[in-house]
């Protein structure tokens, strides 16, 4: 029950950080990706009481600004995948490495979330799974009208291609 509550807390914090970043930013139409992901990672490590000495986290991104409609599902995807890496990829290991990379070409994005852990089971079909975290990732990738692929050589790497979501009028 405690683990489930911590995971829910992480999801809520990912969404709350978007609003916090918008309030602090000079850009009211979006948030700076690298700074946003840095906050997500720090929150995950704090929530799960993990030391930054144990894991090296690489955030690779151009100066990318995501609009709120794209940032929310992207942040939640990153939250789920990094949390899964921390929980499952490094059993019995003292160290590990997680990489989050975002590239943009016009209105198209390429997101990679990878770790150098033990790798996901080859029997697991991430597109048809019953685990809550991966169900959520699949749902969010669909929300982004994206495509999800997984590579399991030298750890696990999730590759997601998606397009910028157009901001919908709220009023």
């Amino acid at each position: 029950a405690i683990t489930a509550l911590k995971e829910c807390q992480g999801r809520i914090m990912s969404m709350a950080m978007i609003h916090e970043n918008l309030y602090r930013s000079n850009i009211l139409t979006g948030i700076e990706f690298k700074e946003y992901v840095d906050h997500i990672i720090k929150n995950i490590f704090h929530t799960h009481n993990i030391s930054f000495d144990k894991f090296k986290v690489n955030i690779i991104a151009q100066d990318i600004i995501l609009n709120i409609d794209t940032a929310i599902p992207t942040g939640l995807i990153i939250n789920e995948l990094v949390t899964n890496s921390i929980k499952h990829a490094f059993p019995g290991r003292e160290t590990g490495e997680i990489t989050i990379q975002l590239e943009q070409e016009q209105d198209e994005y390429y997101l990679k979330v990878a770790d150098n852990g033990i790798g996901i089971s080859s029997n697991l079909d991430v597109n048809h799974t019953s685990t809550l975290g991966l169900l959520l990732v699949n749902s969010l990738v669909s929300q982004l009208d994206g495509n999800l692929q997984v590579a399991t050589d030298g750890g696990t790497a999730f590759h997601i291609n998606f397009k910028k979501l157009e901001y919908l009028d709220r009023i």
Side-chain angles (χ1 to χ4, degrees):
I2 291 172
T3 301
L5 288 173
K6 283 183 178 182
E7 290 174 6
C8 287
Q9 177 185 4
R11 293 175 186 125
I12 292 166
M13 288 300 296
S14 291
M15 289 185 284
M17 279 186 262
I18 289 174
H19 298 286
E20 181 181 335
N21 286 347
L22 282 173
Y23 291 131
R24 284 196 262 154
S25 173
N26 294 330
I27 307 165
L28 296 179
T29 58
I31 64 165
E32 199 275 314
F33 175 79
K34 195 169 186 175
E35 181 181 327
Y36 173 51
V37 172
D38 185 59
H39 284 105
I40 291 173
I41 299 302
K42 286 178 181 172
N43 182 63
I44 292 169
F45 277 51
H46 176 74
T47 299
H48 294 277
N49 198 26
I50 295 172
S51 168
F52 278 97
D53 296 336
K54 186 171 181 174
F55 294 101
K56 179 179 180 186
V57 179
N58 305 305
I59 302 171
I60 304 165
Q62 307 157 356
D63 294 330
I64 297 175
I65 305 295
L66 294 178
N67 69 26
I68 192 167
D69 290 326
T70 306
I72 290 174
T74 304
L76 288 169
I77 288 169
I78 292 167
N79 184 74
E80 290 301 318
L81 295 178
V82 170
T83 300
N84 280 346
S85 286
I86 289 169
K87 286 173 38 181
H88 304 293
F90 307 104
R93 286 181 46 190
E94 292 299 315
T95 61
E97 187 169 348
I98 298 170
T99 300
I100 300 133
Q101 179 177 359
L102 184 68
E103 296 175 4
Q104 178 182 9
E105 286 188 31
Q106 297 172 342
D107 287 347
E108 294 196 23
Y109 297 97
Y110 164 76
L111 174 65
K112 175 182 171 184
V113 180
D115 65 56
N116 67 344
I118 61 171
I120 199 167
S121 170
S122 59
N123 296 333
L124 181 66
D125 181 357
V126 296
N127 294 307
H128 301 93
T129 181
S130 61
T131 64
L132 179 60
L134 289 177
L135 281 171
L136 183 57
V137 168
N138 280 305
S139 177
L140 293 163
V141 169
S142 292
Q143 181 179 333
L144 289 167
D145 197 22
N147 179 322
L148 170 66
Q149 295 180 340
V150 180
T152 58
D153 51 332
T156 303
F158 289 83
H159 302 272
I160 303 167
N161 297 315
F162 59 96
K163 293 188 178 207
K164 175 181 174 182
L165 294 177
E166 293 302 319
Y167 184 79
L168 302 173
D169 288 335
R170 305 286 198 260
I171 299 177

